[in-house]
Amino acid sequence: MEGSGSEYSDIGGNKITLQQSSYGDSCREITVTSPKLSLRSLTGCTCGVWLLAYTAFLYTQHSAVLTAAILCTVLGLLLYMHLLKVEQESLLLLGSLGIQQTLSYASGRESTVFIEMCRVRDVVINEGISMQRVIYYLCILLGDPSDPRGLSQVIPLFQNSQPRLDCLLEIYRSCQEVLSQRGSTESQHGAARRSYARGATQRANMEGSADPIPEGQH
């Protein structure tokens, strides 16, 4: 297994880490790690909520306001860590089998999506416009079974970490190296199936042409 790690920046200027692990020519894992939950931002949000709650308590004189603020802070943090805060995104390319995308949240929860390789048309870098600026993102093009030249779906990748173009180019090259092995692997499998079929046909012909043993010689 070969692994390499490099530091890049996302579109917001935050540091992200790109880790690549190779398990052979047709199997590679690409992982992008985002910054963990900032203690400074967490403290700022918590103090802001409690300051508003204490101001409301001074006007209402109800202790339930403070209790509600504490509960809302704790529940909001748990929901944010469990549903929104993605710390790691990984892409596992398995030669002729498929592509697996995994999201790891701050709470430890993982979400996995597997795409069969027979549906994958290509992996490309696309561009879009957001807030009057051009951003780049990696996406998987899925072919349309009813139209050999059409596309059925475009699946964006690394939408939470949002790497910049230099990092996307590195990921793109790794994906193309694995996808380029797809044709040769399928050709090898096809040749093996044809060789097995020829051998089975020859054995069947030999068995059919064998002379039966006379009954007196049993």
Side-chain angles (χ1 to χ4, degrees):
M1 179 182 67
E2 298 179 359
S4 60
S6 304
E7 287 191 354
Y8 293 90
S9 299
D10 60 11
I11 60 176
N14 301 311
K15 295 291 185 180
I16 58 175
T17 303
L18 172 64
Q19 181 77 27
Q20 299 190 63
S21 300
S22 178
Y23 305 96
D25 295 336
S26 60
C27 183
R28 187 167 300 182
E29 185 176 15
I30 303 169
T31 303
V32 176
T33 304
S34 302
K36 295 185 179 296
L37 188 63
S38 174
L39 181 61
R40 179 181 299 179
S41 60
L42 177 61
T43 304
C45 293
T46 303
C47 292
V49 172
W50 288 2
L51 182 60
L52 292 176
Y54 185 73
T55 303
F57 170 74
L58 292 179
Y59 280 98
T60 60
Q61 297 297 319
H62 289 297
S63 60
V65 175
L66 300 177
T67 304
I70 296 175
L71 291 177
C72 290
T73 303
V74 174
L75 291 177
L77 178 60
L78 292 177
L79 290 175
Y80 175 74
M81 295 177 60
H82 192 71
L83 299 177
L84 298 178
K85 179 55 178 175
V86 177
E87 291 189 344
Q88 193 175 82
E89 296 178 90
S90 63
L91 197 67
L92 181 61
L93 296 98
L94 301 171
S96 60
L97 295 179
I99 300 176
Q100 177 176 293
Q101 181 185 18
T102 303
L103 304 181
S104 300
Y105 292 82
S107 63
R109 183 175 70 93
E110 290 189 350
S111 174
T112 302
V113 176
F114 184 79
I115 305 171
E116 297 180 354
M117 192 61 76
C118 60
R119 300 178 56 198
V120 177
R121 179 69 57 82
D122 201 358
V123 176
V124 300
I125 296 178
N126 204 352
E127 63 179 18
I129 299 178
S130 176
M131 300 296 291
Q132 298 182 352
R133 65 175 178 176
V134 178
I135 60 173
Y136 299 91
Y137 59 93
L138 198 72
C139 58
I140 300 176
L141 306 181
L142 301 184
D144 189 354
S146 60
D147 185 4
R149 296 184 178 181
L151 298 176
S152 62
Q153 192 176 357
V154 177
I155 300 178
L157 303 173
F158 302 106
Q159 290 296 286
N160 295 279
S161 54
Q162 296 182 326
R164 287 184 174 178
L165 183 58
D166 55 348
C167 182
L168 291 178
L169 288 173
E170 188 68 24
I171 300 174
Y172 171 78
R173 284 192 287 265
S174 298
C175 293
Q176 291 300 323
E177 289 177 1
V178 176
L179 293 179
S180 64
Q181 302 291 329
R182 178 175 51 176
S184 60
T185 303
E186 292 176 352
S187 300
Q188 293 175 1
H189 289 170
R193 287 193 295 268
R194 289 192 296 270
S195 177
Y196 177 80
R198 286 196 299 268
T201 303
Q202 291 176 359
R203 289 193 297 269
N205 293 335
M206 292 176 62
E207 292 175 359
S209 61
D211 295 334
I213 301 176
E215 295 182 359
Q217 297 182 4
H218 282 289

